[in-house]
Amino acid sequence: MSEAMNDKTTALIAEDEPILAATLAATLGRLWPELEIVATVGHGQAALERALVLQPDVLFLDIKMPGKTGLEAAEELAEQWPGPKPFPQVVFVTAYDDYAVQAFDNAAADYVLKPVSDERLARTVRRLKERLGTQPGGGGMDALLEQLRALVPAAAPAARPERLSLIRAAVGNQVKLIPVDDVVYFEALDKYVNVVTKDGEALIRTSLKELLPQLDETRFWQVHRGTIVNSAAVLAAQRDELGKLTLQLRGRPEKVRVSPLYAHLFRQM
């Protein structure tokens, strides 16, 4: 039987600074001696992979890590969580200059500031014990999604660029001008974004993160880390037997997957 399957409360720490990771583990050992640290990892991808295998009760995720941020790792974990064990409680570890602490407070998020304070961590430990005791069915997923919805916009650029009306995209050896209103969805592909219309596909050399602020947010909705859809092109939203949500789009045969983080956009459908 694996360590994560025993009766003890288990935790995973994701922190790219070894001294801070060791300090956090040592402080937790004093404040919560019953807690078992099943793994300590140094980057977001490792946090995702180990969490899926070990399925800990609590995750301490550093916001700023190589490869994937703590927010990105948490979002991907919500998408891939296999169950049946309840989704873990998530505590974000941050510094004042990483994210506005006010954003965390407004999100009612659990967070720990660097350097780790016994007093602050003790309050977090009390809340975690209470939640683990009162939410045996796993309120962790719902709590995390609420946190992410409040925290992810805090990372968006303050200055909004001019709205796009035309997209210059590569189609073979040609440059094609595509009206933004004709786009069914945008799909991230490594260093490119695939622009998908009813009539075909084309590539633009940008990232989804750079593209999103240039689009009309009332019409173009991010529905996944790698997908933005034209809401006017959504024909139906469907859930499968596992509760996963997909979109059927006008003029396209493929279905687009919706992350749990954005599923609330389609509740009325």
Side-chain angles (χ1 to χ4, degrees):
M1 183 177 294
S2 72
E3 290 179 297
M5 295 295 288
N6 62 26
D7 293 334
K8 296 186 71 172
T9 301
T10 57
L12 181 149
I13 295 174
E15 166 62 65
D16 67 323
E17 299 181 55
I19 294 177
L20 291 178
T23 301
L24 178 57
T27 308
L28 284 168
R30 291 198 313 271
L31 299 175
W32 195 353
E34 305 84 12
L35 183 69
E36 180 180 1
I37 308 296
V38 293
T40 300
V41 299
H43 55 85
Q45 183 61 36
L48 172 64
E49 293 171 357
R50 298 298 286 158
L52 287 171
V53 172
L54 296 172
Q55 298 192 16
D57 301 302
V58 183
L59 286 172
F60 290 89
L61 296 177
D62 185 14
I63 287 290
K64 193 173 182 180
M65 289 187 289
K68 295 183 192 300
T69 68
L71 297 178
E72 290 168 340
E75 182 182 346
E76 290 192 46
L77 188 62
E79 293 171 11
Q80 299 180 38
W81 188 252
K85 187 173 180 179
F87 193 83
Q89 300 290 328
V90 177
V91 178
F92 291 109
V93 182
T94 186
Y96 279 106
D97 58 353
D98 285 338
Y99 277 76
V101 171
Q102 183 180 359
F104 284 88
D105 289 333
N106 290 342
D110 273 313
Y111 66 93
V112 175
L113 291 174
K114 301 177 185 180
V116 176
S117 156
D118 280 27
E119 180 182 359
R120 182 67 183 82
L121 190 56
R123 292 203 302 271
T124 295
V125 166
R126 286 195 296 271
R127 282 201 296 267
L128 288 171
K129 287 182 176 180
E130 180 180 350
R131 290 176 184 173
L132 289 168
T134 59
Q135 298 177 357
M141 174 78 80
D142 292 338
L144 172 70
L145 295 177
E146 287 183 17
Q147 290 176 17
L148 289 176
R149 286 173 194 141
L151 294 174
V152 170
R160 183 174 291 279
E162 186 176 346
R163 298 276 190 221
L164 279 178
S165 58
L166 282 175
I167 295 173
R168 294 171 177 82
V171 181
N173 294 325
Q174 296 181 324
V175 175
K176 186 176 181 180
L177 296 180
I178 303 172
V180 170
D181 289 346
D182 290 352
V183 177
V184 177
Y185 67 95
F186 298 95
E187 177 186 28
L189 296 175
D190 195 15
K191 296 179 181 179
Y192 296 86
V193 167
N194 191 25
V195 182
V196 182
T197 68
K198 292 180 182 179
D199 302 322
E201 304 176 15
L203 294 176
I204 55 175
R205 191 175 179 86
T206 187
S207 69
L208 218 61
K209 185 177 181 180
E210 294 169 331
L211 176 65
L212 184 59
Q214 301 177 65
L215 301 172
D216 181 355
E217 70 274 12
T218 64
R219 180 160 189 173
F220 288 91
W221 301 350
Q222 184 161 14
V223 298
H224 188 272
R225 286 174 296 104
T227 315
I228 298 170
V229 300
N230 185 340
S231 59
V234 176
L235 184 61
Q238 301 169 327
R239 285 193 186 276
D240 62 19
E241 62 276 7
L242 298 177
K244 303 293 185 181
L245 189 65
T246 57
L247 302 179
Q248 182 180 350
L249 302 173
R250 303 179 196 277
R252 297 295 306 186
E254 67 273 16
K255 292 186 177 181
V256 169
R257 186 159 59 98
V258 179
S259 164
L261 181 60
Y262 304 102
H264 66 287
L265 297 171
F266 304 96
R267 280 190 188 134
Q268 293 188 349
M269 295 186 71

